[in-house]
Amino acid sequence: MRLLLVEDDVMVASGIKLGLSGAGYAVDWVGTGERAEEVLRSEVFDAAIIDIGLPQMDGLELTRRLRRPDMASRKMPVLILTARDALQDRVQGLDLGADDYMVKPFELPELLARLRALLRRSQAATSAVLSFGPVELDTANRRASAVHDEQRTPIELGPREWTVLEYLLIHAPKPASKEKLLQALTGWDKEITPNAVEVYISRLRGKLEPHGVALRSIRGFGYRLELQGALQP
């Protein structure tokens, strides 16, 4: 999952980005509302975390602007951060298009839990558990498993394997493009090449196929999950 963090305090931003990256998110950071607006015109994110107290264009104005039709990520969930524990600021933020808010200082586990809830709602999911056939991904407890005849078998996943599988599960049965998977893995931090996506796909195939779930390559596009033996269009 790819997140945009908009925070002008470098120390605060570094701490948040480190915590989110450790939880498996690809996090891109900008320090101003103006830069965020520029980015959001063309790039797609799964969610944004926006500090209200930004210089010049504040987080409330940015939230209002990113909901405009010309924004590529106008429908993504937005979590606003504020040092202002005033009811008016919270109400205004929600009225302008934010989906949730947190008052600084806050604890990382709560931020992660709120993000998971926002992402579930944005994907019309009612549970923290994503599933496809027998494969289940418990996003709250970071556990992957396969269920057969009420027997649960753990599936060991590396951090990037987890990210790829989570993205595929969220979008199943629709295919996921290689470009979107790469963005979900790295954001702007191009630590891996497009070919590396194939490596993680190959590893996932080896872990999913014994449980009856295949990863089909769609030539020139990407990949999608399929149940082995099922009729596919």
Side-chain angles (χ1 to χ4, degrees):
M1 305 293 279
R2 188 185 184 196
L3 308 178
L4 179 66
L5 172 62
V6 190
E7 168 63 65
D8 65 313
D9 187 310
V10 176
M11 292 297 292
V12 172
S14 297
I16 294 174
K17 183 174 181 179
L18 181 64
L20 294 174
S21 299
Y25 295 103
V27 185
D28 292 323
W29 167 62
V30 296
T32 67
E34 289 79 6
R35 175 58 179 152
E37 182 182 16
E38 179 184 352
V39 167
L40 289 167
R41 289 185 186 278
S42 58
E43 299 198 40
V44 176
F45 296 86
D46 295 293
I49 302 171
I50 300 174
D51 180 38
I52 285 183
L54 299 171
Q56 299 180 350
M57 184 198 303
D58 67 15
L60 295 176
E61 176 62 16
L62 173 62
T63 300
R64 185 187 70 80
R65 293 188 184 189
L66 69 82
R67 295 306 190 195
R68 296 185 308 199
D70 60 329
M71 294 294 182
S73 297
R74 63 186 179 277
K75 295 183 179 180
M76 70 177 176
V78 172
L79 173 64
I80 55 175
L81 305 178
T82 177
R84 314 169 188 172
D85 191 15
L87 176 62
Q88 181 179 356
D89 292 323
R90 301 197 300 270
V91 170
Q92 186 178 6
L94 295 170
D95 283 343
L96 288 172
D99 299 277
D100 199 359
Y101 69 90
M102 292 191 69
V103 178
K104 297 177 180 178
F106 53 82
E107 298 293 333
L108 180 63
E110 183 180 3
L111 175 62
L112 292 172
R114 287 177 180 264
L115 268 176
R116 288 193 297 268
L118 289 178
L119 290 166
R120 286 199 302 272
R121 290 203 294 271
S122 71
Q123 300 295 335
T126 58
S127 169
V129 178
L130 302 172
S131 63
F132 185 86
V135 173
E136 293 186 354
L137 206 64
D138 184 340
T139 61
N141 296 300
R142 301 287 293 183
R143 287 197 295 259
S145 58
V147 181
H148 296 280
D149 299 324
E150 299 184 359
Q151 297 295 317
R152 186 175 299 275
T153 304
I155 301 175
E156 298 297 327
L157 300 175
R160 284 178 168 160
E161 294 168 0
W162 175 284
T163 298
V164 171
L165 182 56
E166 181 181 35
Y167 193 93
L168 290 166
L169 286 170
I170 286 173
H171 294 86
K174 296 179 180 179
S177 72
K178 183 183 290 188
E179 178 184 2
K180 294 299 183 185
L181 287 171
L182 183 63
Q183 289 181 351
L185 284 166
T186 65
W188 294 329
D189 299 326
K190 302 299 184 183
E191 300 173 356
I192 65 173
T193 65
N195 289 337
V197 174
E198 298 177 8
V199 174
Y200 297 116
I201 290 291
S202 177
R203 291 176 184 174
L204 279 175
R205 280 198 181 106
K207 296 179 179 183
L208 298 179
E209 287 181 355
H211 302 292
V213 175
L215 251 174
R216 178 184 173 190
S217 296
I218 301 175
R219 189 177 182 87
F221 184 77
Y223 312 91
R224 76 175 176 191
L225 293 169
E226 295 182 356
L227 295 177
Q228 290 178 332
L231 294 176
Q232 299 292 340

